[in-house]
Amino acid sequence: ARGFAPLRIADFQEVLGEPTVALTKLRELCFSGIPFDGGLRCLCWKILLNYLPLEKALWSSLLKKQRDLYSQFLKEMIIQPGIAKANLGVSREDVTLEDHPLNPNPDSRWNTYFKDNEVLLQIDKDVRRLYPDIAFFQRPTDYPCLLILDPQNEFETLRRRVEQTTLKSQTVARNRSGVTNVSSPLKSTPSSQSEYEVLPNGCEAHWEVVERILFIYAKLNPGIAYVQGMNEIVGPLYYTFATDPNSEWKEHAEADTFFCFTNLMAEIRDNFIKSLDDSQCGITYKMEKVYSTLKEKDVELYLKLQEQNIKPQFFAFRWLTLLLSQEFLLPDVIRIWDSLFADDNRFDFLLLVCCAMLTLIRDQLLEGDFTLNMRLLQDYPISDVHLILKKAKELQDSK
């Protein structure tokens, strides 16, 4: 990451120091990259993702309310039916004679539990391999969830639930993409879960926290539940909040990530819903928009891709759905997201970033054949995101 001049940090502090944050000013500053110093990025993202209101006086009461609500979700959703505080003499209201594991009734808690397990297994498979090129997600968090790890209560970790479950994971692959591969060739994935060190009891790895966030999101949003790729959206958010230099914020990274992720998904969830693919708000429309924008900006390159029958879904599906989180290293993804979150025409700028990525390799694309060009687009060769963002800004200004 490039260092930020003290003057620039002072500009952020000035805008954030006002009783009411001037959103337009904040967006302008954030668009050019947010300093990590003093937790500025974490704070700006929370405002840009509509988690924190513009009136500073409301922050502390809102944060308390949301974090309490998240604790409530944990209590209600991560309890296994059939495990109760038997040792404390509490009656087992969760399992009755009428409700048992073989109960075929769709309203049965056990039925729900088994259905949840299918979703959980898919989440588990995806979050264990989040950003394998950095060790962060495998490391223990400084703030494990005491509510769940407390041996005195009936909650269990999702990790243990996955270990105990006997469902075959191949029944749960809800890949969203059809022809498109969701994972990037850039990301090497460990061949088996056993390569990961198992943390001792009482510790939790960061990936387990992400798993919990996604599981609770899936439970609260049954219409979409969990779709492969959501792990790539929550990863950079959680990483940013869990590395906040301000420990008071860092301690609540899980709850804050959950609500920011929920808000972000409210804006991009249509990309994940297959039945909306061909509607005005669906992903097909957006992919075509990348090509129509390219046609405007560089007709020669557009015609070349058309002639080779390189459809936008071969590469732009992943670029757009995952907000480029699979194309670059994590610090670069975070820098791109500074600009995306600051864009007041939510994610219109993303289309221009995609166009910039194409025009920056135009010479190679114009010379290459289908196979070579597909390789270029599926494993994008330029790693300097500052160059890409600068080009996208030029395209935006040339409208």
Side-chain angles (χ1 to χ4, degrees), residues 313-330:
Q313 53 265 44
F314 296 160
F315 61 93
F317 177 90
R318 191 175 72 211
W319 291 7
L320 293 168
T321 307
L322 304 183
L323 307 182
L324 296 168
S325 61
Q326 282 265 291
E327 312 315 309
F328 302 99
L329 296 171
L330 186 57

mmCIF file of all heavy atoms in Angstrom, residues 313-330:
data_model
loop_
_atom_site.group_PDB
_atom_site.id
_atom_site.type_symbol
_atom_site.label_atom_id
_atom_site.label_comp_id
_atom_site.label_asym_id
_atom_site.label_seq_id
_atom_site.Cartn_x
_atom_site.Cartn_y
_atom_site.Cartn_z
ATOM 1 N N GLN A 313 -19.577 -13.314 -20.124
ATOM 2 C CA GLN A 313 -19.735 -14.233 -18.975
ATOM 3 C C GLN A 313 -18.514 -15.114 -18.747
ATOM 4 O O GLN A 313 -18.363 -15.684 -17.680
ATOM 5 C CB GLN A 313 -21.002 -15.090 -19.079
ATOM 6 C CG GLN A 313 -21.191 -15.858 -20.344
ATOM 7 C CD GLN A 313 -22.058 -15.087 -21.324
ATOM 8 O OE1 GLN A 313 -21.881 -13.892 -21.498
ATOM 9 N NE2 GLN A 313 -22.987 -15.777 -21.980
ATOM 10 N N PHE A 314 -17.607 -15.192 -19.735
ATOM 11 C CA PHE A 314 -16.412 -16.006 -19.543
ATOM 12 C C PHE A 314 -15.463 -15.393 -18.511
ATOM 13 O O PHE A 314 -14.637 -16.090 -17.953
ATOM 14 C CB PHE A 314 -15.650 -16.186 -20.870
ATOM 15 C CG PHE A 314 -16.409 -16.947 -21.918
ATOM 16 C CD1 PHE A 314 -16.062 -16.857 -23.256
ATOM 17 C CD2 PHE A 314 -17.485 -17.762 -21.579
ATOM 18 C CE1 PHE A 314 -16.758 -17.552 -24.247
ATOM 19 C CE2 PHE A 314 -18.194 -18.456 -22.552
ATOM 20 C CZ PHE A 314 -17.828 -18.358 -23.884
ATOM 21 N N PHE A 315 -15.545 -14.080 -18.315
ATOM 22 C CA PHE A 315 -14.637 -13.455 -17.343
ATOM 23 C C PHE A 315 -15.344 -12.402 -16.484
ATOM 24 O O PHE A 315 -15.109 -12.315 -15.284
ATOM 25 C CB PHE A 315 -13.426 -12.822 -18.053
ATOM 26 C CG PHE A 315 -13.808 -11.735 -19.022
ATOM 27 C CD1 PHE A 315 -13.833 -10.407 -18.619
ATOM 28 C CD2 PHE A 315 -14.172 -12.040 -20.328
ATOM 29 C CE1 PHE A 315 -14.215 -9.405 -19.506
ATOM 30 C CE2 PHE A 315 -14.561 -11.046 -21.220
ATOM 31 C CZ PHE A 315 -14.579 -9.722 -20.802
ATOM 32 N N ALA A 316 -16.255 -11.621 -17.103
ATOM 33 C CA ALA A 316 -16.868 -10.503 -16.372
ATOM 34 C C ALA A 316 -17.849 -10.979 -15.313
ATOM 35 O O ALA A 316 -18.141 -10.251 -14.368
ATOM 36 C CB ALA A 316 -17.561 -9.547 -17.340
ATOM 37 N N PHE A 317 -18.360 -12.202 -15.459
ATOM 38 C CA PHE A 317 -19.254 -12.743 -14.428
ATOM 39 C C PHE A 317 -18.557 -12.687 -13.069
ATOM 40 O O PHE A 317 -19.090 -12.182 -12.096
ATOM 41 C CB PHE A 317 -19.638 -14.185 -14.770
ATOM 42 C CG PHE A 317 -20.500 -14.831 -13.721
ATOM 43 C CD1 PHE A 317 -21.876 -14.736 -13.790
ATOM 44 C CD2 PHE A 317 -19.936 -15.502 -12.642
ATOM 45 C CE1 PHE A 317 -22.681 -15.295 -12.800
ATOM 46 C CE2 PHE A 317 -20.727 -16.072 -11.651
ATOM 47 C CZ PHE A 317 -22.098 -15.971 -11.737
ATOM 48 N N ARG A 318 -17.335 -13.212 -13.061
ATOM 49 C CA ARG A 318 -16.611 -13.254 -11.793
ATOM 50 C C ARG A 318 -16.156 -11.848 -11.365
ATOM 51 O O ARG A 318 -16.226 -11.503 -10.202
ATOM 52 C CB ARG A 318 -15.407 -14.199 -11.928
ATOM 53 C CG ARG A 318 -14.748 -14.528 -10.606
ATOM 54 C CD ARG A 318 -13.640 -15.548 -10.772
ATOM 55 N NE ARG A 318 -12.487 -14.970 -11.435
ATOM 56 C CZ ARG A 318 -11.669 -15.659 -12.227
ATOM 57 N NH1 ARG A 318 -11.907 -16.930 -12.463
ATOM 58 N NH2 ARG A 318 -10.624 -15.076 -12.782
ATOM 59 N N TRP A 319 -15.683 -11.061 -12.311
ATOM 60 C CA TRP A 319 -15.224 -9.712 -11.982
ATOM 61 C C TRP A 319 -16.332 -8.916 -11.290
ATOM 62 O O TRP A 319 -16.113 -8.268 -10.278
ATOM 63 C CB TRP A 319 -14.800 -8.970 -13.265
ATOM 64 C CG TRP A 319 -13.558 -9.488 -13.928
ATOM 65 C CD1 TRP A 319 -12.852 -10.613 -13.594
ATOM 66 C CD2 TRP A 319 -12.877 -8.898 -15.055
ATOM 67 N NE1 TRP A 319 -11.786 -10.762 -14.449
ATOM 68 C CE2 TRP A 319 -11.771 -9.728 -15.351
ATOM 69 C CE3 TRP A 319 -13.101 -7.771 -15.833
ATOM 70 C CZ2 TRP A 319 -10.886 -9.445 -16.408
ATOM 71 C CZ3 TRP A 319 -12.237 -7.497 -16.866
ATOM 72 C CH2 TRP A 319 -11.126 -8.314 -17.154
ATOM 73 N N LEU A 320 -17.539 -8.985 -11.875
ATOM 74 C CA LEU A 320 -18.641 -8.158 -11.368
ATOM 75 C C LEU A 320 -19.265 -8.739 -10.101
ATOM 76 O O LEU A 320 -19.515 -8.022 -9.133
ATOM 77 C CB LEU A 320 -19.727 -8.014 -12.440
ATOM 78 C CG LEU A 320 -19.345 -7.221 -13.701
ATOM 79 C CD1 LEU A 320 -20.396 -7.416 -14.773
ATOM 80 C CD2 LEU A 320 -19.179 -5.741 -13.389
ATOM 81 N N THR A 321 -19.532 -10.054 -10.116
ATOM 82 C CA THR A 321 -20.229 -10.654 -8.977
ATOM 83 C C THR A 321 -19.401 -10.543 -7.707
ATOM 84 O O THR A 321 -19.918 -10.264 -6.637
ATOM 85 C CB THR A 321 -20.509 -12.156 -9.251
ATOM 86 O OG1 THR A 321 -21.170 -12.253 -10.497
ATOM 87 C CG2 THR A 321 -21.404 -12.756 -8.195
ATOM 88 N N LEU A 322 -18.097 -10.763 -7.839
ATOM 89 C CA LEU A 322 -17.237 -10.795 -6.649
ATOM 90 C C LEU A 322 -16.490 -9.479 -6.452
ATOM 91 O O LEU A 322 -15.548 -9.407 -5.668
ATOM 92 C CB LEU A 322 -16.245 -11.964 -6.754
ATOM 93 C CG LEU A 322 -16.897 -13.346 -6.971
ATOM 94 C CD1 LEU A 322 -15.847 -14.451 -7.000
ATOM 95 C CD2 LEU A 322 -17.940 -13.655 -5.904
ATOM 96 N N LEU A 323 -16.916 -8.428 -7.145
ATOM 97 C CA LEU A 323 -16.304 -7.093 -7.006
ATOM 98 C C LEU A 323 -14.780 -7.162 -7.114
ATOM 99 O O LEU A 323 -14.054 -6.522 -6.350
ATOM 100 C CB LEU A 323 -16.699 -6.451 -5.663
ATOM 101 C CG LEU A 323 -18.195 -6.372 -5.335
ATOM 102 C CD1 LEU A 323 -18.402 -5.678 -3.993
ATOM 103 C CD2 LEU A 323 -18.957 -5.629 -6.418
ATOM 104 N N LEU A 324 -14.315 -7.981 -8.061
ATOM 105 C CA LEU A 324 -12.884 -8.125 -8.371
ATOM 106 C C LEU A 324 -12.060 -8.745 -7.243
ATOM 107 O O LEU A 324 -10.830 -8.707 -7.269
ATOM 108 C CB LEU A 324 -12.270 -6.769 -8.791
ATOM 109 C CG LEU A 324 -12.843 -6.188 -10.087
ATOM 110 C CD1 LEU A 324 -12.416 -4.744 -10.278
ATOM 111 C CD2 LEU A 324 -12.393 -7.019 -11.290
ATOM 112 N N SER A 325 -12.736 -9.338 -6.252
ATOM 113 C CA SER A 325 -11.985 -9.838 -5.099
ATOM 114 C C SER A 325 -11.128 -11.058 -5.423
ATOM 115 O O SER A 325 -10.243 -11.416 -4.658
ATOM 116 C CB SER A 325 -12.941 -10.174 -3.952
ATOM 117 O OG SER A 325 -13.838 -11.188 -4.351
ATOM 118 N N GLN A 326 -11.396 -11.707 -6.576
ATOM 119 C CA GLN A 326 -10.587 -12.884 -6.931
ATOM 120 C C GLN A 326 -9.455 -12.537 -7.900
ATOM 121 O O GLN A 326 -8.623 -13.377 -8.183
ATOM 122 C CB GLN A 326 -11.484 -13.928 -7.595
ATOM 123 C CG GLN A 326 -12.327 -14.703 -6.617
ATOM 124 C CD GLN A 326 -11.665 -16.021 -6.231
ATOM 125 O OE1 GLN A 326 -11.555 -16.934 -7.016
ATOM 126 N NE2 GLN A 326 -11.208 -16.094 -5.006
ATOM 127 N N GLU A 327 -9.448 -11.308 -8.399
ATOM 128 C CA GLU A 327 -8.481 -10.992 -9.459
ATOM 129 C C GLU A 327 -7.181 -10.410 -8.923
ATOM 130 O O GLU A 327 -6.188 -10.366 -9.630
ATOM 131 C CB GLU A 327 -9.092 -10.002 -10.467
ATOM 132 C CG GLU A 327 -10.496 -10.349 -10.961
ATOM 133 C CD GLU A 327 -10.667 -11.807 -11.333
ATOM 134 O OE1 GLU A 327 -9.839 -12.335 -12.107
ATOM 135 O OE2 GLU A 327 -11.631 -12.439 -10.843
ATOM 136 N N PHE A 328 -7.202 -9.919 -7.691
ATOM 137 C CA PHE A 328 -6.030 -9.223 -7.161
ATOM 138 C C PHE A 328 -5.721 -9.703 -5.749
ATOM 139 O O PHE A 328 -6.547 -10.346 -5.108
ATOM 140 C CB PHE A 328 -6.277 -7.703 -7.144
ATOM 141 C CG PHE A 328 -6.591 -7.131 -8.499
ATOM 142 C CD1 PHE A 328 -7.906 -6.884 -8.884
ATOM 143 C CD2 PHE A 328 -5.573 -6.879 -9.409
ATOM 144 C CE1 PHE A 328 -8.201 -6.386 -10.149
ATOM 145 C CE2 PHE A 328 -5.867 -6.391 -10.677
ATOM 146 C CZ PHE A 328 -7.180 -6.133 -11.042
ATOM 147 N N LEU A 329 -4.555 -9.346 -5.263
ATOM 148 C CA LEU A 329 -4.193 -9.678 -3.881
ATOM 149 C C LEU A 329 -5.032 -8.829 -2.922
ATOM 150 O O LEU A 329 -5.485 -7.734 -3.273
ATOM 151 C CB LEU A 329 -2.703 -9.426 -3.655
ATOM 152 C CG LEU A 329 -1.774 -10.324 -4.483
ATOM 153 C CD1 LEU A 329 -0.327 -9.871 -4.358
ATOM 154 C CD2 LEU A 329 -1.914 -11.795 -4.073
ATOM 155 N N LEU A 330 -5.193 -9.327 -1.718
ATOM 156 C CA LEU A 330 -6.127 -8.701 -0.770
ATOM 157 C C LEU A 330 -5.904 -7.193 -0.555
ATOM 158 O O LEU A 330 -6.866 -6.424 -0.607
ATOM 159 C CB LEU A 330 -6.103 -9.462 0.561
ATOM 160 C CG LEU A 330 -7.124 -9.023 1.603
ATOM 161 C CD1 LEU A 330 -8.555 -9.101 1.089
ATOM 162 C CD2 LEU A 330 -7.004 -9.861 2.878
#
